[in-house]
Amino acid sequence: RMHAAVVAVARAPRISRLASVAAVSIRGGERARARATLNRAASSGPMAPIVELYARVDETLPADPASTPADESHFRAIAPYMNAVEPRHLAMEPPSTSRRSSEDSEDSARPAQGFFSQLLGRAKSSSSSRSPSRSRSRASGIDCVNLHDSHRFSMCVFRFNEEGTVIPLHNHPRMTVMSKLLYGSLRVRAFDWADDDDGNPGTAPNVPRLARMVRDERVAAPANAFALYPRSCGNIHMFTAVEPSAVLDILSPPYAIGCGRDCHYFEEVPFGPDGGRAPPGHAWLLEVDCPDDFEVERGEYHGPRFGSRSGR
């Protein structure tokens, strides 16, 4: 069943179906829309860095990333354009305090749309206790600013509005994700499956699975872009805000429920199926429901329009 990290989305499951329909309808016109966006930008002066990034991503990624995933060579071609993007290019700025203004809260009090509805995905039930992989309460405040949606890739910004907010441990099945910290600092904890079985993105019901730790460190802006791939570089990760932060993400292809790209959530548990502890540099991960207190609101975007937003 579909899980609701965003309560309003759970009450309107048609959103995920509409997102899938929209992705199909974009396929034929995506390149034409990209060209039109670039032509308009060129005629009006220097191109905004975020629009340059969109253009580079559009021309670089495979035509069908679901069958031919983006790899390190694609990321190397895109990374300099991600590194050039600053918060001001998106009409964003770090919050002056850890609390959002009442106006921002009012604008954001709507469910996240587009690709993020797919992140709500499927998760298997578990009765295990709370662990560091669990999220904090809704009051901690995360919002998602959607920049572009298509069947090939999505672009968005996750804003962590308070210290201690968490996107819980989750995976990206058969996906490549490129990330750039725009401001603030985050604790990144990431794993890959130790058995390297790409055909099984999750775990058997109530059976922990061994994962290899890839990353457990603090990342502070300014920082270079980084990437994860379907089977390497920390496909399973979680973010914890050390301070108010924002992350620009490019997902290729986006989450898609029913297409093998559902989002699975996990928590670390101390013992494996046979009662043994994980070896050094590893952890036992158990698939769980999307945490009840993990909610993401839709953030407003006031920056340059491009891609699927160019006609809005």
Side-chain angles (χ1 to χ4, degrees):
R1 65 183 179 87
M2 185 183 301
H3 266 276
V6 181
V7 172
V9 174
R11 293 172 181 168
R14 69 181 182 278
I15 289 175
S16 63
R17 293 196 295 270
L18 290 175
S20 299
V21 171
V24 172
S25 66
I26 286 171
R27 296 185 185 190
E30 182 180 351
R31 291 299 178 91
R33 178 161 49 245
R35 286 193 295 271
T37 298
L38 300 184
N39 289 338
R40 285 196 299 273
S43 64
S44 59
M47 203 182 306
I50 187 64
V51 180
E52 287 189 299
L53 171 60
Y54 163 74
R56 185 61 168 173
V57 174
D58 181 69
E59 71 182 19
T60 301
L61 290 179
D64 184 10
S67 59
T68 307
D71 58 26
E72 189 175 355
S73 66
H74 299 102
F75 173 64
R76 285 198 302 266
I78 292 169
Y81 293 81
M82 293 191 77
N83 291 334
V85 175
E86 301 175 11
R88 61 189 177 89
H89 300 141
L90 296 158
M92 294 181 183
E93 59 183 20
S96 56
T97 68
S98 63
R99 296 181 61 85
R100 288 175 293 176
S101 69
S102 58
E103 178 182 357
D104 187 43
S105 296
E106 180 179 350
D107 287 343
S108 298
R110 292 185 294 275
Q113 304 289 321
F115 98 88
F116 192 73
S117 66
Q118 305 295 347
L119 188 141
L120 310 182
R122 175 184 60 81
K124 299 173 183 174
S125 62
S126 169
S127 58
S128 54
S129 60
R130 180 175 294 273
S131 79
S133 304
R134 291 290 199 176
S135 66
R136 274 186 57 184
S137 69
R138 180 180 186 275
S140 42
I142 299 174
D143 60 46
C144 177
V145 180
N146 185 25
L147 305 178
H148 169 73
D149 277 319
S150 76
H151 82 288
R152 292 176 62 229
F153 66 96
S154 293
M155 298 174 63
C156 71
V157 174
F158 283 104
R159 296 189 297 197
F160 299 73
N161 297 304
E162 293 184 0
E163 175 187 349
T165 52
V166 178
I167 292 182
L169 197 62
H170 64 284
N171 68 350
H172 311 80
R174 304 173 186 173
M175 299 162 59
T176 297
V177 181
M178 308 175 196
S179 301
K180 155 76 174 176
L181 184 62
L182 295 172
Y183 62 78
S185 59
L186 296 171
R187 170 67 62 177
V188 180
R189 189 169 175 86
F191 301 87
D192 289 317
W193 293 124
D195 55 25
D196 200 30
D197 182 5
D198 186 47
N200 179 17
T203 67
N206 298 313
V207 178
R209 185 176 176 186
L210 190 63
R212 179 179 61 257
M213 183 176 291
V214 174
R215 194 173 192 183
D216 186 17
E217 62 184 355
R218 176 176 173 172
V219 179
N224 287 331
F226 57 93
L228 61 84
Y229 305 99
R231 302 174 71 173
S232 64
C233 296
N235 187 277
I236 308 162
H237 71 193
M238 65 181 293
F239 292 152
T240 303
V242 178
E243 60 184 315
S245 306
V247 179
L248 169 64
D249 272 353
I250 300 171
L251 297 89
S252 179
Y255 285 106
I257 297 171
C259 297
R261 298 195 304 276
D262 303 1
C263 185
H264 304 72
Y265 295 89
F266 305 90
E267 66 177 1
E268 296 177 50
V269 294
F271 303 107
D274 299 326
R277 293 188 177 274
H282 293 72
W284 290 109
L285 302 186
L286 183 67
E287 189 170 346
V288 297
D289 289 339
C290 174
D292 291 337
D293 56 2
F294 175 48
E295 298 185 3
V296 177
E297 297 173 346
R298 184 179 66 183
E300 294 295 309
Y301 179 59
H302 304 289
R305 303 279 169 160
F306 56 88
S308 62
R309 277 184 168 267
S310 60
R312 300 180 192 178

